[in-house]
Amino acid sequence: MKKKLVLIGNGMAGVWAVEQLLKLAPNQYEVTVFGSEPHPNYNRILLSSVLAGDAKIDDIVINDWNWYKENGVTLHAGHTVTKIDTERKSVSTASGITAEYDDLIIATGSLPFMLPLPGADKEGVIAFRDINDCNTMIETAKNYKKAIVIGGGLLGLEAARGLLNLNMDVSVVHIFKDLMERQLDQTASQMLRKELEKQGMNFLLEKNTDSILGKKRVTGVKFKDGSVVDADLVVMAVGIKPNVQLAKDSGLEVNRGIVVNDYLETSIPHVYSVGECAEHRGIAYGLVAPLYEQGNELAKRLAGVPSAGYQGSVVSTKLKVSGVDVFSAGQFTDAEDTASVRVQDDFEGVYKKVVIKDGKVIGAVLFGDTSDGSRLFKMIREGEDVTGKEKQILLGEGSGGGAKSGVDYVASMADSEIVCGCNGVSKGTILNAISEKGCTSVNEIKACTKASGSCGGCKPLVADLLALALGADGVQTVKEGICGCTEHSRDEVVEAIRSMRLTSSKEVMNVLEWKTEEGCSKCRPALNYYLGMAWPEEHEEERESRFVNERNHANIQKDGTYSVVPRIYGGVTSPAELKRIAEVAEKFDVPMVKFTGGQRLDLLGVKKEDLPKMWAELDMPSGYAYGKALRTVKTCVGSTFCRFGTQDSIQMGIDLEKRFERLNTPAKVKLAVSGCPRNCAESTIKDFGVIAIDGGWELYVGGNGGVKVRASELLCKVKTEEEVQEWAGAFLQYYREAAKWNERTSEWVSRVGLESIKEALASEEERKALNERIDKTLSLTTDPWKEIIEKDELRATFEELQAPALETVAD
Ligand SMILES: Cc1cc2nc3c(=O)[nH]c(=O)nc-3n(C[C@H](O)[C@H](O)[C@H](O)COP(=O)(O)OP(=O)(O)OC[C@H]3O[C@@H](n4cnc5c(N)ncnc54)[C@H](O)[C@@H]3O)c2cc1C
Ligand SMILES: NC(=O)c1ccc[n+]([C@@H]2O[C@H](COP(=O)([O-])OP(=O)(O)OC[C@H]3O[C@@H](n4cnc5c(N)ncnc54)[C@H](O)[C@@H]3O)[C@@H](O)[C@H]2O)c1
Ligand code: SF4
Ligand code: FES
């Protein structure tokens, strides 16, 4: 006869444990499940997606009603267990249902912590924990406008994003200065705040709530400092507490959670506990991955499969707010016995920090680019020794080894290793879905295995596994919206701009039904670029969509001063020009004059108010050192002076720079010309590199000497200077028209493949047409410094631009 297993709590952890048990020992138990909520088991994580309008309740069900029937599981949904009799081994509900057990699992989860404030019982004050809360918010947004979310943690920010999508005005009240202080350091936290502010969230930081105002329904919130804000809805997201009262009343040992050992056994025989209500080695977890690990171990225990038991988990988190990439794992704060490696790129809005102790990675915070998350998380979990290669951990491919990435990394994973922590899916299961079920895209893998369907943090790994199994060509590329504000891909947006003759960002957002009214810091500059590229004559530059450097035509520095880099064609200057630069530097007390890597002179430490005056006195064109534009053309001395030189590289560099200066491009563009294959101008790590050979020139594309070093690839060999110009013009215009905004040529060439570019540029007719378009665009450009000096109204706007809408700077 089958033994009787009772599960209290029809949530993610408990049902997971039962599922694993049914796989290990399908005939061992007759299973009965009690759940307070009147629903089958659903994915609580995805409530954030339901609120944000990205999923429906039906989409988030994990085990539908049929699953219970098919597996012979009796479900009492909507029935709360109120008593456990551990002597008689039975449980009973308030509604009068009783069930006996041989083994009992308590998986009652957590309760949201509700601040015990005067007025907290008013209508319109809720938590965000279950389907009911989610529906309440969706309904409230139909009739009310002002929402306050108390708590700037993961849940609060996801709730706030959802409410914004429901067109409410949202303010997040946070008790500390830094958001998500439990997951992020100050730098990442501040970057996050700025990004969310751009999305339309308002923050009331360092605010301690005093009381909830209103008669029957909430009308406002009062703070301890006396200030008051209006509110029609208050969502409390200030943490959770394990739901342990039932266990306590039944005589189980309870601290913060129900105390369990490595086998998930409580203090009373035959009573087990998993999930947020359980406390293992002093920790009650609040994320799904560790709870699933507990469930696996409990299933083994009940099925009699030998195992070392549950050893505790290292956790990682990913904020589920579209348009924001945030990852945090392990111990991310600095201490006396730790050291850290940080990469901060204010231009790209990327911050990465890895904390190391005794040669091992113990924590990480990533903002803006979370692609290293899984790799770092594995290093943390496995305590990998990184002694001697600490710096390479964050520097990727070109750093000389140490850090495996992409396909190499997934190839090194064991088949049993979990790829998707939110859904407990291993590498083996995903490979199986590819080979046995024919999945060829991330979406198909999601449909088959659920991997990547919750927080989305494992998507890059799933994509790498597809590439590993099928090769890059076999993977179906999945359409990705240009940012969280739209589902439309870059190509669809550009196509719409062209075919519907859309000429402003507002029009694009309206016609393509953007989810946000104002867009975000990813789509606004991208749209501005695409519009300018498609309609160079008609499009009016949307300056507020430019990053601060591009609006100020100078690079903002760490201390708030600016750097001024005048254009010096081909890196060739004259004594008179040098004198003038020196005089201006002296006159404006420039603290540092420095040669740049691109053979230009950089005047550093300039006050913003001095910029136009300096530009006027320099009387030189802008070097565009701040823009997504042609930066420099580096040259070697070439045949004019060098005994190895076969061609005049200096003149070629000057000619290219004079032709393409002021050209807006998807990302910055650097050129170089070397006079012979010794390549002194480093042409092979430039976006477009020219190398003189006997009787002609070799043209290279897609190089990069930055964080991810990439050698360029040979596009073609040509004989004459005119041909160099023709191919340069065609390549640059094709890049302008085909690449994604913010995509360097190195990334673009890697993505689309050199062959496709060669194909696109093969016909002389096509090259001619591309050159005509680029020359048209170039003919419409003007020098921005000169414009500001000469036009009073522009100068006035420049001076007003102290509080930019897009604060982030872009490289
Ligand atoms: C909006 C939101 C977003 C989240 N996002 C993430 C995320 O991105 N990543 C992540 O890892 N985690 C996330 N979490 C946390 C995650 O959902 C929880 O860690 C997980 O659901 C906990 O599972 P559990 O089974 O322990 O508890 P629960 O899922 O809460 O299940 C417990 C169930 O037991 C029922 N119950 C309680 N007492 C009784 C009783 N006496 N009788 C019968 N039934 C009872 C409850 O009603 C509940 O249905 C999120 C949580 C929320 C609310
Ligand atoms: N993406 C995810 O992984 C995700 C998303 C949502 C929820 N969750 C999980 O759900 C649980 C609940 O999330 P949470 O964000 O409520 O918990 P939390 O404890 O992580 O964050 C609560 C936040 O509220 C702040 N706070 C506390 N008291 C406050 C007060 N009086 N006024 C203003 N702010 C106050 C805290 O400083 C903290 O930052 C957690 O376990 C969390 O991990 C995870
Ligand atoms: S690349 Fe050749 S031509 Fe140019 S400086 Fe070096 S050796 Fe001379
Ligand atoms: S890890 Fe969250 S969806 Fe895979």
Side-chain angles (χ1 to χ4, degrees), residues 245 263 301 312 380 390 478 487 491 496 501 601 661 711 716:
Q245 197 56 47
Y263 296 100
R301 181 67 175 166
I380 297 170
E390 293 89 346
V478 187
E487 311 270 287
D491 290 349
R501 287 202 72 85
L601 271 170
E661 67 172 322
C716 62

Side-chain angles (χ1 to χ4, degrees), residues 165 267 649 718:
N165 284 14
S267 58
S649 49
V718 296

Side-chain angles (χ1 to χ4, degrees), residues 481-621:
I482 59 173
C483 69
C485 305
T486 177
E487 311 270 287
H488 292 287
S489 66
R490 177 260 177 223
D491 290 349
E492 287 170 347
V493 170
V494 172
E495 169 55 25
I497 289 174
R498 288 189 195 281
S499 63
M500 294 188 238
R501 287 202 72 85
L502 308 176
T503 54
S504 74
S505 296
K506 271 269 155 268
E507 262 184 314
V508 178
M509 291 180 189
N510 277 337
V511 170
L512 298 183
E513 295 180 346
W514 241 239
K515 290 184 209 160
T516 52
E517 220 169 288
E518 299 294 330
C520 69
S521 60
K522 275 193 184 155
C523 61
R524 279 168 52 195
L527 289 183
N528 187 43
Y529 170 76
Y530 296 140
L531 288 159
M533 177 271 290
W535 312 118
E537 285 173 278
E538 296 88 337
H539 174 63
E540 264 193 43
E541 171 73 7
E542 293 166 9
R543 286 178 55 77
E544 69 287 356
S545 293
R546 289 267 186 193
F547 287 112
V548 59
N549 281 348
E550 294 184 273
R551 283 202 310 269
N552 288 335
H553 304 292
N555 265 332
I556 194 161
Q557 305 295 313
K558 221 170 145 176
D559 60 358
T561 62
Y562 285 80
S563 87
V564 169
V565 183
R567 175 125 359 241
I568 298 179
Y569 301 98
V572 179
T573 180
S574 65
E577 206 168 61
L578 284 173
K579 266 192 209 156
R580 200 160 62 243
I581 294 172
E583 279 161 14
V584 170
E586 273 190 351
K587 179 165 176 184
F588 289 93
D589 276 337
V590 170
M592 182 178 278
V593 181
K594 187 187 176 308
F595 287 102
T596 70
Q599 301 176 332
R600 303 296 181 267
L601 271 170
D602 195 344
L603 311 186
L604 290 148
V606 179
K607 293 191 221 70
K608 184 168 179 211
E609 58 272 25
D610 286 342
L611 288 173
K613 287 177 264 173
M614 271 185 73
W615 298 337
E617 298 216 9
L618 278 170
D619 194 22
M620 291 168 79

Side-chain angles (χ1 to χ4, degrees), residues 154 178-193 314-319 324-334 339-345 349-356 361-377 379-380 393-394:
L154 289 157
D178 297 312
L179 298 171
M180 275 176 63
E181 79 288 345
R182 300 181 58 188
Q183 289 86 15
L184 302 180
D185 67 357
Q186 204 174 33
T187 309
S189 173
Q190 285 176 1
M191 290 171 98
L192 172 67
R193 178 177 53 77
V314 182
V315 293
S316 70
T317 48
K318 186 178 180 298
L319 180 70
V324 189
D325 287 326
V326 189
F327 169 90
S328 162
Q331 185 195 315
F332 60 90
T333 46
D334 298 301
S340 47
V341 182
R342 284 162 229 250
V343 170
Q344 182 169 358
D345 182 345
V350 170
Y351 172 69
K352 301 182 181 188
K353 173 183 173 185
V354 170
V355 182
I356 294 161
V361 178
I362 58 163
V365 172
L366 305 174
F367 183 90
D369 172 6
T370 51
S371 54
D372 291 323
S374 307
R375 184 171 57 82
L376 291 170
F377 186 45
M379 284 179 162
I380 297 170
I393 295 170
L394 284 180

